Amino acid sequence: MTGSMAEPTPVRKARADGRRNRELLLAAAHDAFVAAPGAAPGAASAVSLEKIARAAGVGIGTLYRHFPTREALAEAVYESELDEVMSITDAESLLPPDEGLRAWMNRYATFFAAKRGMLDVLRGGWASGAIATPMTRQRANAVVGEFLARGVADGSLRDMAADDVTAAMLGVMLSTVAGASAEPGQTQRLLDLLLVGLRPAAPA
Amino acid sequence: MTGSMAEPTPVRKARADGRRNRELLLAAAHDAFVAAPGAAPGAASAVSLEKIARAAGVGIGTLYRHFPTREALAEAVYESELDEVMSITDAESLLPPDEGLRAWMNRYATFFAAKRGMLDVLRGGWASGAIATPMTRQRANAVVGEFLARGVADGSLRDMAADDVTAAMLGVMLSTVAGASAEPGQTQRLLDLLLVGLRPAAPA
DNA sequence: CGATCTACCGGAGGGGCCTCCGGTACTCAG
DNA sequence: CTGAGTACCGGAGGCCCCTCCGGTAGATCG
């Protein structure tokens, strides 16, 4: 019923303390994530949001208002890195689509593995929705879809739903990178395995 | 250094109250898991261990002593079902190995999906170790390895590390069953995709 | 330059997680 | 049957999660 009503363009500008607190929180969170991983593999680092708020010198309520979920906070902290990962590099663009896709997945896996601190913060939430926030996942789908389209065009990839491929890739990440027992070679082997399935069936 | 010393076979027999409490806890946990799923897909059911202990009429400490981790509790509750899932049925045995493996994976997926209550209890832990407890995972590896061996023998499957295949399967489960947004068809499609990768490469 | 009006602050509060330890009551030896 | 030793009990305690709301300080208007 509200139809295509445009937003009333709120005139008031954001309060200064609001933006300052946001920055403080981001900085504190970043520090916490970076410091988190910890050498001991067994240690369940897991950053506390209350500590982040305290480090930023704001109340816990303020943290939750700016970042309603842990995911939102993690996403904001790694925003620029995510932008990079969620796009196709020139090098990847020049490769044949199947190899380009493989290269991109590898970049994604590296990002994933490097941000263990981020994973620790997300821990406990992803059963209820996503390792990849809906928006982030859409972005991944877009990238995957682009590779698939090119691959279908030149015959190097099968015609598949992008979200299926994204799901398969995330599955590999979840079971080989996120788990404590991760062995790096396994991620590579499983991504290769996935790519095998994506090639067109040999003409019977 | 202790070498192959046999355990001293504790003579004292388990105390009666101990075993009784264990049973009470298992019963209460079972009820909680079954009641948990809840119709509302968005609802974050998530059973509380303290509630289970209270329902069983024992202290929280008692629960933790009998089942040191949530995983241990879930495993104990579903022990018999797990035994069934972690073995090969006659029907599966009669199929060609590749189809048998596919059928078994399907059974596993069904189990996984049916036990959402179990998943909810596990939520929050599996970044730090496993959706599949080390022991459960070993059992899965054994089953997968059996199929692989048969498949390699008759040429219907490639020679691969069983744990890689298990990891891939778990990945599919994690990203298509565990997530809230699960679409049942996707699990099937991804398992099919996995099987494609497991077939021997066509002789170039 | 006030006065007003809200957007934003911050922490108290109810609940859960897991650990730790003093006390109990069950089992076994004599 | 009685006493000794100990396996097991149960909850208090420290930490974290997330929500909710009274109060305040910052932006805008006259």
Side-chain angles (χ1 to χ4, degrees):
Chain A
M1 292 310 166
T2 48
S4 55
M5 216 170 200
E7 291 208 348
T9 317
V11 191
R12 263 170 205 283
K13 83 181 175 195
R15 280 173 49 161
D17 55 344
R19 281 192 299 126
R20 185 170 41 79
N21 280 341
R22 195 190 146 85
E23 294 310 318
L24 286 173
L25 281 167
L26 280 177
H30 184 262
D31 287 354
F33 293 0
V34 169
S45 30
V47 185
S48 144
L49 292 190
E50 306 214 307
K51 269 182 194 146
I52 291 179
R54 236 173 293 145
V58 306
I60 183 65
T62 301
L63 186 154
Y64 275 96
R65 197 160 344 89
H66 281 289
F67 307 101
T69 66
R70 311 169 84 71
E71 286 82 2
L73 179 58
E75 220 169 44
V77 166
Y78 288 115
E79 193 182 14
S80 60
E81 282 99 324
L82 266 178
D83 281 351
E84 251 172 67
V85 166
M86 290 306 178
S87 63
I88 302 177
T89 65
D90 289 349
E92 284 156 9
S93 226
L94 291 176
L95 292 170
D98 55 338
E99 291 175 35
L101 176 59
R102 181 66 183 72
W104 175 77
M105 284 185 176
N106 208 40
R107 204 149 57 84
Y108 193 98
T110 305
F111 169 80
F112 219 83
K115 302 307 190 259
R116 287 293 310 250
M118 173 169 158
L119 288 183
D120 285 337
V121 174
L122 294 183
R123 158 154 40 161
W126 60 33
S128 64
I131 176 62
T133 276
M135 209 198 80
T136 301
R137 177 146 181 174
Q138 274 189 3
R139 293 214 276 167
N141 278 349
V143 171
V144 169
E146 175 65 27
F147 279 118
L148 283 177
R150 294 189 200 175
V152 169
D154 86 345
S156 63
L157 292 172
R158 272 207 286 158
D159 189 11
M160 293 195 53
D163 191 69
D164 283 5
V165 177
T166 304
M169 180 185 73
L170 282 179
V172 170
M173 306 292 165
L174 284 175
S175 75
T176 69
V177 180
S181 56
E183 175 224 334
Q186 195 170 50
T187 307
Q188 296 301 317
R189 293 197 298 278
L190 293 191
L191 288 180
D192 286 341
L193 184 62
L194 171 57
L195 260 286
V196 171
L198 296 183
R199 300 247 156 65
Chain B
M1 287 309 170
T2 47
S4 55
M5 215 167 199
E7 292 207 350
T9 315
V11 192
R12 261 169 207 282
K13 85 180 174 196
R15 280 174 49 163
D17 54 346
R19 280 193 299 125
R20 184 170 41 77
N21 280 340
R22 194 191 146 85
E23 293 310 318
L24 286 173
L25 281 167
L26 279 178
H30 183 262
D31 287 354
F33 293 179
V34 169
S45 32
V47 185
S48 143
L49 293 191
E50 306 214 307
K51 269 182 194 144
I52 291 179
R54 238 173 292 146
V58 306
I60 182 66
T62 302
L63 186 154
Y64 275 97
R65 199 162 342 89
H66 282 288
F67 308 101
T69 66
R70 312 169 82 73
E71 286 83 3
L73 179 57
E75 219 168 44
V77 167
Y78 288 115
E79 193 181 16
S80 59
E81 282 99 325
L82 265 178
D83 281 351
E84 249 172 69
V85 165
M86 290 307 178
S87 63
I88 303 177
T89 65
D90 288 349
E92 284 155 8
S93 227
L94 291 175
L95 292 170
D98 55 339
E99 291 174 35
L101 177 58
R102 182 65 182 75
W104 175 77
M105 284 185 176
N106 208 40
R107 203 150 56 85
Y108 193 98
T110 305
F111 169 79
F112 220 83
K115 302 307 190 258
R116 286 296 308 250
M118 173 168 158
L119 287 183
D120 285 337
V121 174
L122 293 182
R123 157 151 42 156
W126 61 33
S128 64
I131 176 62
T133 274
M135 209 198 81
T136 302
R137 177 144 181 176
Q138 274 189 5
R139 292 213 276 167
N141 278 349
V143 171
V144 169
E146 175 65 26
F147 279 119
L148 283 177
R150 294 189 200 173
V152 169
D154 86 344
S156 65
L157 291 173
R158 272 207 285 159
D159 188 12
M160 292 197 52
D163 189 68
D164 282 4
V165 178
T166 305
M169 180 184 72
L170 283 179
V172 171
M173 305 293 165
L174 285 175
S175 74
T176 69
V177 179
S181 55
E183 174 225 336
Q186 194 170 49
T187 307
Q188 297 302 317
R189 292 198 299 279
L190 292 191
L191 288 180
D192 286 341
L193 184 62
L194 172 57
L195 260 286
V196 170
L198 296 183
R199 301 247 156 65

